[in-house]
Amino acid sequence: MKKALVLILFFLLLIDNISGQVTFQKSFSTGSNGNPSVAQTIDGGYIIAGDLLIRTNESGDTLWTRYYNYGTSNCATPTFDGGYAIAGYTSIDGASNDYYLTKTDSLGNILWSKAYGGESYDEAYTMQQTSDSGFILAGNTWSFGSGGWDFYLVKTDAEGNILWTKIIGGAEEDKAATIKQTSDDGFIVAGYTTSFGSVGPDAFLIKTDDNGNIEWAKIYNGPGGEFVTCIRQSEDGGYFFTGHAVNFTTTGQDLFLIKTDAEGNVQWSRFFTHTNNIGNAVAQTNDGGYIITGSTLESSANGNDVLLIKTDAAGDTLWTRVFGGTGYDAGTDVKQTNNGEYIIAGKITSFGTGFYLLKTDNLGNTGCNQATASIQTNNSPVSELNVTCTVYSAGAVTPFDVTAGSGTVVNDICFTAIEELSIANSLQLFPNPSQGFFSITLGERIVKGSVSIFNALGKIVFEEEIVNTSTKEIHLQNLPEGIYFVKVFSRDNYYNIKLLLNRTKTALL
C-alpha cells in the first residue's frame, strides 16, 4: 500500500510539473511585403522567412534576425546542414527579374547567392531542398517558352549550380506557385493555366520524374476559376492541394481543398464558402486530417483576417478559427509542431506592419484576437482533363552579391498557456487516477461535440462524438499506463484536463 501511495504522489507531481501547451501571437515590424514561411527548428524553436530571416525560440522570442538587400523573397527552408536557403526574384541589371537562390549558415550569414533566368522576367515562387542536398525552384518565366507566362523549373546541386531546367506550358498564361519532391524522387508542381481547359483559369498539376520529364499533366475545372497555391504529397502517395476559386456569379472567392490519388485522379473536393476565403498553405496532420491557413473577410469592418481550418481525413470541417485585428491580416504558411499543435506565419497590418507569427494549441486556440467563422462547405464536383504541354530547356546561372543586416521590431500581442485558455473547472473526470474506465461530466449539455484523448507526445489515441448529453463514459482498454490529456470540444468552447492512467487497483483512493 505504501508503494502504491508513493507511486500516486510521483505521478501527481509529474502531472503538476508538465507545462501546458504554450501559445502566442507576435508581430514583427519588418516593412516587408513578402509572404513569410515558417518551419520548426531542431531545438523546438522556429524560423520565419520572407525578405528576411527571423529565428526564435519555442516561445517565439527572437534570437536573431537577418535582412537582405535583394528583391522579393517568396520562400525559404531550413537546410540539411543546419543553415537556410531563400528563394525569390531579383533584378541584377536594374531591368528584368531573375530567379535567385541564397544559401546561409545557421546564423543567417550568406554563403553564396546565385541568379537564374533569361533576358525578360523570371519569378520564383517556391523552392525546396531535395534529397540529394540540391534545390528545386519553380515559378514563372517570360524569357522562354511558347507564349505568355510558362512554368519554369530549375534544379541545382548543393552549391546552386544548374543540373537541368524545364519550361512547361501552352500558348497563353501558365503560372506555377508550389512544388514538392515526391517519394519516387520526382516532382509535383502546381499552379494555374489559361492555355488549356475551360473559360478562365483552371488548376494545373504536373508530375515529373527526377530529371523534370513529364509523367502526366492535368487541369482541374470546378465551379469557378481555380488557382492552386500549395500542394503536398499525402501519406497514401496521392496529392492534396489548396488555393481559391473565383466565383464567376458573385465574384467572391472560395477556399478549396482537393485530394487526388497518385495519378492525379480526383478522390474528393471541398469548397469553403464565406466571404472571400483564400487558401495559402495546407499540411497533413498526424491524425490523417488536414490543416489549412489563408485569409477570410469575416466582416467589412475588420478587413481580412487569418483563417485556420482543421478537417478530418475526408476533408470535412472539424473546426475553424479566425485571428487578427482591424487591418489586413492573412496566414501564408502553417505547420503542425512536434507536439501536435500549430504554428502559422502570415502578413499583418493590424498590430504593426510586417510578419505575423501565431502559435496555437492542438485545437487552434491562441488566447486573444480570436473568433470563429460561419464557413459553409460544399462538395462541388471537379472534373479533370489530361493535357499535353510543350517542354523546353533554357536559362543560365549568374553569381551575385547580397549583403545582410540585422534587427527588427517585435510586438508581443499575447502569450499564454493552454490552462489559461481552457475552462477546466467546468470539466470533471472521475476517477482520476483511473484504471481505464471513467466518466466525464461537463457544466453544459453538448448538442454536438467530441472528446479526444492525447498522449504526452500530442498524438490522438482516442476520439468519440458527444451528442446531446452533459456526461460521457469512457473505457480505455488497451492504452498503457501514463499521463494523458482529455479534451472536449463543444461549438466555440473547449475543455481540457489531465488524466493519469494507472491500472493498479490500490491506486484508486
Side-chain angles (χ1 to χ4, degrees):
M1 182 68 175
K2 185 179 291 186
K3 290 178 66 176
L5 289 172
V6 171
L7 184 63
I8 295 168
L9 289 173
F10 170 77
F11 277 116
L12 291 176
L13 285 172
L14 187 57
I15 289 175
D16 287 338
N17 283 282
I18 289 180
S19 60
Q21 298 178 56
V22 172
T23 68
F24 56 78
Q25 292 185 27
K26 293 178 183 287
S27 70
F28 302 87
S29 298
T30 64
S32 170
N33 293 317
N35 295 315
S37 59
V38 64
Q40 192 165 26
T41 52
I42 193 169
D43 62 355
Y46 304 99
I47 186 75
I48 308 103
D51 292 349
L52 71 164
L53 291 178
I54 303 170
R55 178 72 163 84
T56 79
N57 63 15
E58 62 183 352
S59 298
D61 301 319
T62 304
L63 301 179
W64 52 258
T65 63
R66 298 286 186 273
Y67 62 86
Y68 307 93
N69 71 334
Y70 41 49
T72 299
S73 172
N74 286 313
C75 50
T77 184
T79 51
F80 303 148
D81 61 0
Y84 306 97
I86 313 165
Y89 55 89
T90 187
S91 177
I92 298 176
D93 57 9
S96 61
N97 289 328
D98 288 310
Y99 282 25
Y100 76 79
L101 178 63
T102 296
K103 178 69 178 68
T104 80
D105 63 16
S106 61
L107 295 177
N109 301 307
I110 295 168
L111 300 178
W112 50 260
S113 296
K114 295 184 179 178
Y116 314 88
E119 295 181 355
S120 191
Y121 288 92
D122 309 291
E123 300 177 351
Y125 284 94
T126 179
M127 174 269 299
Q128 181 189 11
Q129 188 171 32
T130 50
S131 57
D132 61 359
S133 296
F135 300 92
I136 184 73
L137 295 88
N140 320 304
T141 180
W142 195 269
S143 297
F144 318 107
S146 56
W149 292 100
D150 286 310
F151 282 24
Y152 187 25
L153 278 59
V154 177
K155 176 68 177 75
T156 79
D157 63 15
E159 300 300 319
N161 303 306
I162 291 178
L163 297 179
W164 52 258
T165 64
K166 300 291 180 183
I167 299 96
I168 306 171
E172 297 185 36
E173 186 169 277
D174 311 288
K175 285 193 170 186
T178 175
I179 195 169
K180 280 293 174 182
Q181 189 171 34
T182 52
S183 57
D184 61 358
D185 287 333
F187 301 96
I188 186 76
V189 58
Y192 74 89
T193 180
T194 60
S195 295
F196 313 101
S198 62
V199 177
D202 286 316
F204 193 18
L205 269 63
I206 298 172
K207 173 67 175 69
T208 80
D209 63 16
D210 58 342
N211 290 312
N213 302 307
I214 294 177
E215 296 180 345
W216 52 260
K218 294 191 176 188
I219 61 170
Y220 301 83
N221 182 25
E226 289 77 32
F227 299 80
V228 180
T229 54
C230 182
I231 192 167
R232 299 288 185 265
Q233 189 169 29
S234 54
E235 294 174 351
D236 62 4
Y239 304 99
F240 58 95
F241 53 96
T242 192
H244 65 277
V246 177
N247 189 309
F248 293 142
T249 302
T250 66
T251 69
Q253 299 175 96
D254 296 335
L255 183 154
F256 62 76
L257 177 63
I258 299 174
K259 174 70 173 65
T260 78
D261 63 17
E263 301 302 318
N265 303 305
V266 174
Q267 295 177 315
W268 49 259
S269 58
R270 302 287 183 267
F271 288 78
F272 302 88
T273 62
H274 184 51
T275 307
N276 287 341
N277 291 337
I278 295 175
N280 288 324
V282 62
Q284 193 163 25
T285 51
N286 56 20
D287 61 359
Y290 304 93
I291 189 76
I292 314 165
T293 194
S295 64
T296 185
L297 187 61
E298 175 65 14
S299 70
S300 58
N302 287 340
N304 278 67
D305 290 316
V306 174
L307 176 62
L308 190 66
I309 300 175
K310 177 68 176 74
T311 80
D312 62 16
D316 296 321
T317 303
L318 298 179
W319 46 258
T320 63
R321 300 287 184 264
V322 174
F323 309 96
T326 57
Y328 176 89
D329 311 310
T332 55
D333 195 18
V334 62
K335 301 287 193 312
Q336 189 168 37
T337 63
N338 296 337
N339 57 359
E341 299 155 17
Y342 302 103
I343 187 75
I344 305 109
K347 300 186 289 187
I348 193 170
T349 64
S350 293
F351 313 104
T353 299
F355 294 168
Y356 199 8
L357 184 65
L358 305 94
K359 170 67 168 49
T360 81
D361 65 12
N362 48 30
L363 291 175
N365 300 293
T366 65
C368 73
N369 306 306
Q370 175 180 324
T372 57
S374 303
I375 294 177
Q376 304 299 314
T377 305
N378 66 71
N379 303 333
S380 298
V382 173
S383 61
E384 64 203 48
L385 177 68
N386 290 307
V387 297
T388 301
C389 311
T390 56
V391 182
Y392 305 86
S393 294
V397 58
T398 306
F400 73 105
D401 293 328
V402 175
T403 58
S406 61
T408 188
V409 178
V410 183
N411 177 24
D412 290 313
I413 302 171
C414 62
F415 179 90
T416 187
I418 190 172
E419 286 81 7
E420 296 173 87
L421 297 176
S422 64
I423 316 172
N425 58 0
S426 298
L427 172 63
Q428 296 181 359
L429 189 154
F430 182 83
N432 188 16
S434 170
Q435 290 180 281
F437 181 81
F438 58 91
S439 63
I440 296 172
T441 303
L442 292 159
E444 64 168 315
R445 175 174 291 274
I446 295 180
V447 177
K448 186 175 181 180
S450 62
V451 56
S452 299
I453 299 178
F454 298 78
N455 64 18
L457 297 177
K459 183 178 180 181
I460 295 178
V461 295
F462 176 89
E463 280 188 303
E464 197 165 286
E465 283 191 343
I466 298 178
V467 179
N468 198 30
T469 184
S470 60
T471 62
K472 182 73 175 178
E473 292 186 344
I474 305 293
H475 195 186
L476 305 176
Q477 293 179 321
N478 301 316
L479 291 181
E481 294 183 340
I483 297 169
Y484 295 86
F485 298 89
V486 180
K487 299 176 191 280
V488 177
F489 180 75
S490 169
R491 294 184 178 177
D492 298 339
N493 294 331
Y494 75 95
Y495 308 83
N496 173 71
I497 197 167
K498 294 169 185 173
L499 164 70
L500 172 60
L501 195 61
N502 187 336
R503 301 194 187 279
T504 304
K505 289 185 178 180
T506 54
L508 302 176
L509 300 180

